[in-house]
Amino acid sequence: MEIIMSIVAGVLFAAGLYNLLQKQLLRIVVGTALLSHGAHLFILTMGKLKEGAPPILDYDISEYTDPLPQALILTSIVISFGLTSLLLVLTYRAAQENDTDNMENLRGNHDE
Amino acid sequence: MLIAVLLPLFITLLIPFVSKFKQKFHTGIFVLLIPLGIFIYFVRYISEDFSPVSASYPWIPSIDISFDFYLDGLSLLFVLLISGIGTLVTLYSIYYLHKSEKLAHFYIYLLMFMTAMLGVVLSDNIYVLYSFWELTSISSFLLIGYWNYREGSRYGAMKSMLITVFGGLSLLGGFILLQLITGTTSIQEMIAQSDVILDSPYLPLILVLVLLGAFTKSAQFPFHIWLPDAMEAPTPVSAYLHSATMVKAGIFLIARFSPIFNAYEWFFIVVSGIGIITLCWASYMAVRQTDLKGILAFSTISQLGMIMAMLGFGTEAAVFAAVFHILNHATFKGSLFMIAGIIDHETGTRDIRKLGGLMTLMPISATLALFGTFSMAGVPLPFLNGFYSKELFFENSLHLDSGNLWLAEFLVQAVPYLAVFGSIFTFVYSMYLLFGTFTGKKNLDELPSKPHEAPLGMLVAPAILIAGVIIIGIFPNLLNENFLAHAALAVSGHEVHEHVHYWHGWDSPAFLMSLTVLALGTLLYVFRDKWTGIYKSIPGALSFNKVYDNLVAGLDRYSSSFTKGYMNGSLRRYMALIISTIFIVTLTVMLGTDGFSFSTDDLAEITAAEILVAAMMIVAAFGTIFPKNNIGVILLLGIAGYGLALLFVFYRAPDLALTQLVVETITVALFLLCFYHLPKLRPIKESKRVKITNLIISFAFGGMMTLVGIAAHSSKWFETISGYFIETSHDLGGGDNVVNVILVDMRGLDTLFEICVLGIAALSIYTMIKLRRNKEER
């Protein structure tokens, strides 16, 4: 199963990157969101998949899944959510101010 | 000794205050006392039984860098030249520079230079020597660019800076290698270990690096090009830096290190070879110049080449001759520069084509120039010091010892002829300088100002130097035993008892060579108009100035086009570059270290439901690549996110599933909001080629990450630490939900800053939406 999950994560990375290399601002943000999905799945797969019960302690269970990657992913989800929403508002504002959402037109000044 | 070296530098602090009163008295009068004091301090050391003096002052003892000073005969010669000519130049500059000039700047730079130069010749520690060496470059740069409103000054300053600093850096490289080999930073200790250096495999590299430093500083072929452009400096500066002192720093360096390298065959070939080429080329080029200071600049280059050649010969007699000529050159060249400055000052031009017939108007200058130029040309008169040193040069060029290398044998054969060739042209330009300026037709109307004799104060300094020329000329052995012999001893390492003869006899080959020079030189000078056409074709396109200009301009163009080539402002391009770099580096490392390992043990079992979700995510992810519209892409992103939440459910991560569901919902809502508000979204066309490139890049990267993931999973080195978390969660953390206990208790700091991240994001969003500072509102 880990191999399949690795492939899924790889596909998420690839699709995320492809979107990241687009011209349209919105699709770049989509790309970052896909990339973070890929990363989360990656972290989860790197720990062992399915070794026991959910990590909520109970008297009759001795085998639990690894809680540490879950904690890391939880942190990461929240951070990437904050980042994605920031990027979205930035996209919105940039497109509004410059009247375009084409990255090729947003190149900055020539006399920099 | 430290005080003597650093005195000028400290005095610079006082200059701004002194120059406040420059209307009452010229700042130079105050400055004059400093080099004079140093000169008097050091002149006491001249005696027949002089022995080296050393002194040490700690600077950075932990890395073996301290102000070690070592005063031997060679240093003494240079110290006296620096302080003596420094005094005269300061005196001259008092009359040369008007009070309306920025005098404080001038004297601060000049004193800075004096400290630097004293430091160079007295330092025994290579790094201290290097520090002072670069200080001479910097102060010379400032002095050349003194009239910084002139284009030519800035160009000359830049050029000299680039060339000398290039040499300085390579010198530093040579010094570092020397220290690595010998384990000491002291030059005297290195000389004691010269056999270690001679056995080292790095010897050729060290020689090249050190010689590059010396050749660039001393304007040797082909690095001589900065010196003629440095003539944009005020004349006192040209007289001081660019004839008597700084350009001899390279000579000093070679003299100082020649006890180490002398035994190495290539030392003779390179130093003498370059020296003799410089002598010939510069004296040939000097005849072409029309600017007085231009002639003198090329003349300086050629004389330096001659000294360099003699140092390369390396025999005791040749070293003595070199030391003797260092002294002689400083006297006559300093005075000639000052006279050129006087002519410039009094007539308003330095163009020799406009000058002429000044002899009757400026008789004293003409007399001084006569002695100076005749001494420079080496005219065989027994009261000119230039004659003796040229005679010694000829004589030594005939008694060379060739090593085993064929190149050295060839050089030994060629040197006497080249020496005569160079001297003939030296004679021609000296005569042209003298007679072109002071005799012939007067054309006073063309001159910018009416010429008359210079004020007496201006003439004092060149007169003293010319007096030196004549005194050494009449008593050539006056300074031998008590002064020059010590310098020659320091260079060659042997006692040198050389006696300069007035007369070598008719049959002496050196004298015959001098006569040849005199005869051919006169002939060439008289028929100058007939043959100078040769200059149109012979440097022509081969001129080294053109090479330098093309190099600098080409470097500029190349680097600019290189930068523009990859920094085109397109973020996509940068992204693609970054990803490709990560891909290539990771792949190389993984393949190089045999990092890809695949084992199928210990895998979780495959279930149908998971496969289904995985397939759904893959389809959704692929779907975002082929957008029909953006809504579709956003919804597909949502599908991938919910698929991930489902996977979290399968893999027993309830908290993750919960969070992921909520976050994905909000994210999709935000995306839709953003989409709704974006102004007139047009689909953007992509060319097929770009699409394919992007596909290749992204899928190569995704594939690599898959492989990395599998490889990482296949090689687990140790057990996870999560056992501890599960065991202690209840007892120490007081909670049963281990993930939550980790988040708020065991690794609570992460959570704190994650809260910060959310807070900052929220504030930024608020700011971006609320704060508007448009142009209208300002």
Side-chain angles (χ1 to χ4, degrees), chain B residues 20 215 361 444 508 528 554 566 634 644 652 713-714 748:
Chain B
K20 284 264 186 276
F215 286 168
L361 294 166
L444 298 182
S508 140
R528 239 170 46 81
Y566 76 94
I634 294 169
L644 190 61
R652 321 274 156 78
H713 191 82
S714 306

Side-chain angles (χ1 to χ4, degrees), chain A residues 27 46 50 52 66 101 107, chain B residues 568 610 624 681 716 722:
Chain A
R27 297 202 52 198
M46 292 296 96
K50 262 205 243 179
D66 195 342
D101 65 338
R107 281 203 190 186
Chain B
N568 62 352
E610 288 162 29
T624 59
L681 286 172
K716 287 212 187 301
S722 300

